[in-house]
């Protein structure tokens, strides 16, 4: 038999069904005829040897700047250095953005390798050369072996669901990590940080000076840090948005963690510098890591308004859960901004500058923006987005998992977390098993301790009589009586931030308190056949012919006579 003639693309059926969206052409319907616009293609990686040669010895250009500061390059005071780095980066053609939103998410751990970020660090060379390897070594050393590595470099990882809410205070090794660059390795004896800009007396401080309790009273606070990308995967699975593996890391529900931080209030340090002058209204924070953005290099910079600092809600910290800060979480000095998104809590802090307006650095002005729904690639303007500071109230179910089969006796055991930003806290957690029509309240004794700046973990036995697919939904009410939007669609946005809609999971309910179900489960057990996956056809006949015929003897036939 002759081979059939096939002229379709491989995977044509999947493409037609929207399962390989990256290959779909755009339809332009604005003319008299519909035109198809082919998707962007990318040239093979290449480099301009001549241009690179003219730059000279990169290891010498970007050599160690401060004794005891490995992997640190100070970019912000050196426009010349930035320009050279830019020239290097534009002398290469880099591989394209990996497609993980419109295509399948790789079944690997790390999920994404961060190939381009590694290449960029290697291309700059010097102090940045070994940063990708050093950072990965620190992940092995400081993080729990069960962490889910979303992105190997810059490292982004979250604990598996089972361990997210295992304890109300997250052990350091299980706290999620979100990095925009490599981890600088700074010796505490060689460390100091600068306070400058619009302060009366700019100066620097060593760690010993900051720790001198006669000058700065020690404060300890339990704080939940939540990344505004938490639960982003729900938005991605609904509709893909802006795509880049660092800004848009595909977080699940684990990009949130709670720890007790010790340090001092930043307000006191500003006072020690004689206070703000000349109408300063914001504090700009500098992290010692290097961030790559659109062929440019920079340190990690964001800002926070003075009003927040003045309220003693911005801390300089060096201890996490009674231990020195792990390197991966900002050693030797990290900012902790109470009730704001994680992005503002700058790690490896080396400088604070008092300024008049919010920082123009990309992490403040071009990322962490909450866009209106009709903003997208076709009409993007940064000024249309709200800079995200306080997270709205949110919650998530950590067990069971979506698509899981649950055998129960009329109650499904659920657990999870609830959190609200800005110093609001969860007052009530509710669960529904019918998609959000009827709600059960989680009894207060099933919620962890109430604190101003933290989440509350919860557990609940959710009544469920029905069988088959049920939709379990969870929502929280905070102390200001705010609650969560009902569906992901309601608040979907191009930057895929702030997935605070009710968390919904689909669970296949098998209610063993029903005698018939119980008997059938025993049959499965006797036959030694697992019930999962539910898609596998029966290994034995679910009904004997004897029983079948008995039924029809007792009942009317399928069709009746007149
Ligand atoms: N210097 C620096 N600070 C940083 C970041 C970073 O990449 N560099 N990431 C921020 C973001 S987006 C978050 S969510 C938190 C995460 O803190 P963690 O890694 O300690 O959990 O750190 C913030 N501070
Ligand atoms: Mo974040």
């Amino acid at each position: 038999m002759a081979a059939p003639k096939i002229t379709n693309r491989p995977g044509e059926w999947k493409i037609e069904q929207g399962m390989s969206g990256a290959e779909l052409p755009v339809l332009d319907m604005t003319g008299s005829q519909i035109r198809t616009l082919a998707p962007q293609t990318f040239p093979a990686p290449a480099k301009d040897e001549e241009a690179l040669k003219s730059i000279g010895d990169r290891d010498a250009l970007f050599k160690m700047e401060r004794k005891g500061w490995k992997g640190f390059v100070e970019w912000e005071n050196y426009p010349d250095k930035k320009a050279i780095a830019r020239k290097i980066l534009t002398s290469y053609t880099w591989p394209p953005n990996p497609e993980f939103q419109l295509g399948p998410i790789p079944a690997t751990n790390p999920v994404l390798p961060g190939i381009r970020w590694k290449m960029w660090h290697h291309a700059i060379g010097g102090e940045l050369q070994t940063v990708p390897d050093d950072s990965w070594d620190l992940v092995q050393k400081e993080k729990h072996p069960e962490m889910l590595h979303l992105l190997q470099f810059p490292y982004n990882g979250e604990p598996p669901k089972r361990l997210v809410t295992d304890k109300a205070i997250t052990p350091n090794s299980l706290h999620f990590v979100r990095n925009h660059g490599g981890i600088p390795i700074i010796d505490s004896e060689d460390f100091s940080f600068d306070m400058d800009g619009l302060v009366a007396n700019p100066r620097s401080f060593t760690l010993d000076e900051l720790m001198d309790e006669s000058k700065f009273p020690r404060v300890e606070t339990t704080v939940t840090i939540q990344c505004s990308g938490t639960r982003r995967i729900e938005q991605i699975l609904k509709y893909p948005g802006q795509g880049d593996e660092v800004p848009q890391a595909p977080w699940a529900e684990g990009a949130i963690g709670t720890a007790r931080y010790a340090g001092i209030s930043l307000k006191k340090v500003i006072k020690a510098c004689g206070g703000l002058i000349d109408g300063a209204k914001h504090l700009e924070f500098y992290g010692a890591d290097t961030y790559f953005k659109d062929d440019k290099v920079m340190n990690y910079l964001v800002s926070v308004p003075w009003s927040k600092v003045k309220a003693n809600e911005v801390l300089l910290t060096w201890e996490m859960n009674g231990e020195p800060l792990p390197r991966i979480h900002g050693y030797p000095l990290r900012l902790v901004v109470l009730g704001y998104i994680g992005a503002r809590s700058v790690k490896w802090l080396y400088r604070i500058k008092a300024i008049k307006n919010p920082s123009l650095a990309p992490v403040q002005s071009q990322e962490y923006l909450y866009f209106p729904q009709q903003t997208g690639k076709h009409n993007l303007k940064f000024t249309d987005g709200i800079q995200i500071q306080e997270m709205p109230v949110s919650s998530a179910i950590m067990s069971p998992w979506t698509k899981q089969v649950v055998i129960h006796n009329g109650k499904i055991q659920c657990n999870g977390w609830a959190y609200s930003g800005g110093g609001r806290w969860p007052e009530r957690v509710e669960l529904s098993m019918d998609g959000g029509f009827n709600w059960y309240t989680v009894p207060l004794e099933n919620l962890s301790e109430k604190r101003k700046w933290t989440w509350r973990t919860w557990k609940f036995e959710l009544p469920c009589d029905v069988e088959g697919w049920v939709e379990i939904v969870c929502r929280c009410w905070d102390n200001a009586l705010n609650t969560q939007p009902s569906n992901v669609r309601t608040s979907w946005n191009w930057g895929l931030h702030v997935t605070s809609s009710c968390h919904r999971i689909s669970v296949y309910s098998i209610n063993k308190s029903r005698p018939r179900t119980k008997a059938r489960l025993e049959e499965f057990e006797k036959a030694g056949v697992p019930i999962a996956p539910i898609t596998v056809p029966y290994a034995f006949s679910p009904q004997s012919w004897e029983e079948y015929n008995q039924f029809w003897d007792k009942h009317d036939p399928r069709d009746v006579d007149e």
Side-chain angles (χ1 to χ4, degrees), residues 494-528:
W494 177 243
L496 308 170
H497 281 288
V498 191
T499 315
S500 69
S501 49
C502 295
H503 191 212
R504 293 171 179 270
I505 59 167
S506 304
V507 163
Y508 192 83
S509 157
I510 299 181
N511 186 350
K512 207 177 165 183
S513 71
R514 292 180 171 190
R516 199 172 119 176
T517 298
K518 183 168 186 273
R520 177 54 51 83
L521 288 174
E522 279 160 8
E523 272 182 74
F524 270 95
E525 211 175 301
K526 217 161 56 203

Side-chain angles (χ1 to χ4, degrees), residues 176 178 180 226-230 251 255 300 341-344 368 497:
F176 84 98
R178 168 138 177 84
H180 288 70
Q226 185 186 31
C227 182
S228 54
T230 315
W251 294 111
Y300 183 91
I341 57 167
R344 311 301 172 221
Y368 295 95
H497 281 288

